[in-house]
């Protein structure tokens, strides 16, 4: 089995590369999101340190585009196309299987269905160039450092652990569609409460009844205007923090994997929100 080849590369090396890139992808995703959120966030679908979409992506891009490795422009364009197609297919499959959205580009320019966007595609193109010029030569040297027997045993052990972890994580993911509607209803109720609180606080910032001349003087006071804007922004920040804290408290009531999914993938509820929005439109019509 190990000597079987795919596009001129034996299975042993392909699987080694797959797991290494999956680990590197997990490190990248986890570091990026953890720094952004200010706390540790495990961005893998499974509990272990592997993001297999990066493994599949890197290996697929390398095997498909290897004939073009001498042309940087074609590598960039090819990498953008292959990785974007893989990202789109993965999004559709995961949404179809688990009825949840695992990432959302809806707020990005030039996105398609919220599943892919131009910015990410350009990023995949640059990643492909880096992959061929820097990453893959280093990964190839790393695989050559340890004996083949050790590599084969490691692959078998990691594969078994990954399969068990995946089954456990998938079981939790299948039940997300049952939890999300209740979770969203509670969030919507909380948002209404917070909006009322925002309105009350904003009204408390209204200017007192003063003469027109006094009002004109105060409006010309740049320091006064700046102070009012800062107070309004402070209120908005406080409300956003309160909503985030409430969302976190909801997820804390769930099991370990469900809690981890909600923290790592804040757009899981996108599918529910779209259906909910469409239902409201149908009711109005």
């Amino acid at each position: 089995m190990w000597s079987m080849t795919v596009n001129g590369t034996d299975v042993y090396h392909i699987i080694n590369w797959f797991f290494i890139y999956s680990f590197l992808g997990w490190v990248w995703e986890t570091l990026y999101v953890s720094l952004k959120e200010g706390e540790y966030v495990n961005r893998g679908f499974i509990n272990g340190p592997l993001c297999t979409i990066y493994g599949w992506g890197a290996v697929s891009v390398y095997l498909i585009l290897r004939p073009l490795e001498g042309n940087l422009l074609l590598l960039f364009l090819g990498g953008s196309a292959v990785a974007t197609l893989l990202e789109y297919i993965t999004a559709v499959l995961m949404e179809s299987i688990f009825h949840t959205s695992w990432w959302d580009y809806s707020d990005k320019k030039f996105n398609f269905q919220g599943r892919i966007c131009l910015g990410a595609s350009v990023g995949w193109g640059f990643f492909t160039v880096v992959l061929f010029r820097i990453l893959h030569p280093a990964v190839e040297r790393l695989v050559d450092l340890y004996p083949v027997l050790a590599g084969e045993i490691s692959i078998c052990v990691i594969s078994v652990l990954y399969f068990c972890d995946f089954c456990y994580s998938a079981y939790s993911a299948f039940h997300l569609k049952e939890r999300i509607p209740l979770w969203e209803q509670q969030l919507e109720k909380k948002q209404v409460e917070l909006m009322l609180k925002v309105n009350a606080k904003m009204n408390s910032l209204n200017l007192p009844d003063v003469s027109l001349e006094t009002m004109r003087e105060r409006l010309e006071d740049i320091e006064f205007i700046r102070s009012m804007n800062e107070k309004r922004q402070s209120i908005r920040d406080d409300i956003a923090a309160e909503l985030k804290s409430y969302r976190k408290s909801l997820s804390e009531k769930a099991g370990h994997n469900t809690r981890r999914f909600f923290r790592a993938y804040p757009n899981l509820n996108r599918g529910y929100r779209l259906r909910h929005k469409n239902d409201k439109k149908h009711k109005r019509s």
Side-chain angles (χ1 to χ4, degrees):
M1 181 191 84
W2 301 111
S3 59
M4 291 175 56
T5 60
V6 177
N7 200 16
T9 304
D10 60 79
V11 171
Y12 169 79
H13 281 87
I14 290 175
I15 298 177
N16 271 277
W17 298 343
F18 166 75
F19 281 125
I20 292 172
Y21 284 124
S22 295
F23 173 72
L24 293 176
W26 176 85
V27 171
W28 161 253
E29 283 275 334
T30 299
L31 275 176
Y32 174 76
V33 177
S34 296
L35 290 172
K36 186 178 177 182
E37 295 296 322
E39 59 180 355
Y40 172 73
V41 178
N42 179 0
R43 277 284 286 185
F45 177 77
I46 66 171
N47 288 278
L50 295 173
C51 273
T52 51
I53 187 173
Y54 280 90
W56 286 117
V59 172
S60 299
V61 164
Y62 178 75
L63 293 177
I64 293 172
L65 301 180
R66 187 162 53 177
L68 306 176
E69 62 181 323
N71 189 313
L72 291 182
L73 178 59
L74 291 181
L75 276 181
F76 175 82
L77 295 175
S80 297
V82 173
T84 299
L85 179 62
L86 178 63
E87 186 176 34
Y88 183 80
I89 292 173
T90 303
V92 171
L93 286 175
M94 293 192 74
E95 288 174 22
S96 300
I97 294 170
F98 300 113
H99 304 285
T100 49
S101 302
W102 298 83
W103 58 85
D104 184 17
Y105 294 127
S106 297
D107 61 337
K108 307 295 184 183
K109 291 183 178 179
F110 309 110
N111 76 85
F112 179 67
Q113 298 177 350
R115 293 165 175 152
I116 55 176
C117 72
L118 180 61
S121 298
V122 171
W124 295 132
F126 282 114
F127 169 77
T128 300
V129 174
V130 173
L131 172 74
F132 274 86
R133 289 292 182 265
I134 301 173
L135 275 180
H136 197 70
V139 169
E140 282 187 312
R141 288 195 295 270
L142 175 62
V143 174
D144 291 337
L145 286 177
Y146 46 83
V148 172
L149 180 60
E152 292 172 351
I153 293 173
S154 298
I155 288 173
C156 292
V157 172
I158 294 172
S159 296
V160 170
L161 292 174
Y162 173 79
F163 178 76
C164 294
D165 198 342
F166 180 85
C167 290
Y168 173 59
S169 299
Y171 174 81
S172 300
F174 276 122
H175 290 281
L176 287 173
K177 62 182 179 181
E178 302 164 5
R179 297 177 180 273
I180 285 176
L182 178 61
W183 193 60
E184 277 296 298
Q185 290 166 13
Q186 291 175 303
L187 275 176
E188 287 173 5
K189 183 179 178 181
K190 187 66 175 179
Q191 283 176 327
V192 171
E193 294 175 4
L194 292 177
M195 285 303 297
L196 293 174
K197 187 183 290 188
V198 168
N199 289 335
K201 288 188 174 183
M202 287 296 187
N203 290 335
S204 69
L205 294 179
N206 287 343
L207 292 172
D209 293 331
V210 293
S211 67
L212 184 62
E213 187 64 29
T214 304
M215 178 73 75
R216 189 177 294 116
E217 290 176 0
R218 299 200 70 176
L219 288 176
E220 291 174 355
D221 187 346
I222 297 176
E223 185 63 28
F224 172 73
I225 296 173
R226 185 186 63 80
S227 175
M228 292 295 291
N229 288 335
E230 287 179 352
K231 288 179 180 178
R232 290 191 179 93
Q233 187 59 50
S234 177
I235 291 172
R236 295 190 190 99
D237 292 342
D238 290 343
I239 295 302
E242 191 171 342
L243 184 61
K244 182 178 180 181
S245 177
Y246 182 73
R247 184 182 287 112
K248 186 176 180 180
S249 70
L250 286 179
S251 65
E252 290 296 332
K253 298 174 183 178
H256 167 72
N257 256 349
T258 303
R259 183 167 63 249
R260 182 173 63 81
F261 286 146
F262 279 133
R263 288 182 62 198
Y265 303 99
N267 297 304
L268 286 170
N269 52 4
R270 183 173 72 95
Y272 169 82
R273 287 185 173 180
L274 288 175
R275 289 194 300 273
H276 193 51
K277 185 177 180 181
N278 290 333
D279 289 342
K280 285 184 177 179
K281 285 183 178 178
H282 290 317
K283 286 180 181 178
R284 290 196 198 103
S285 60

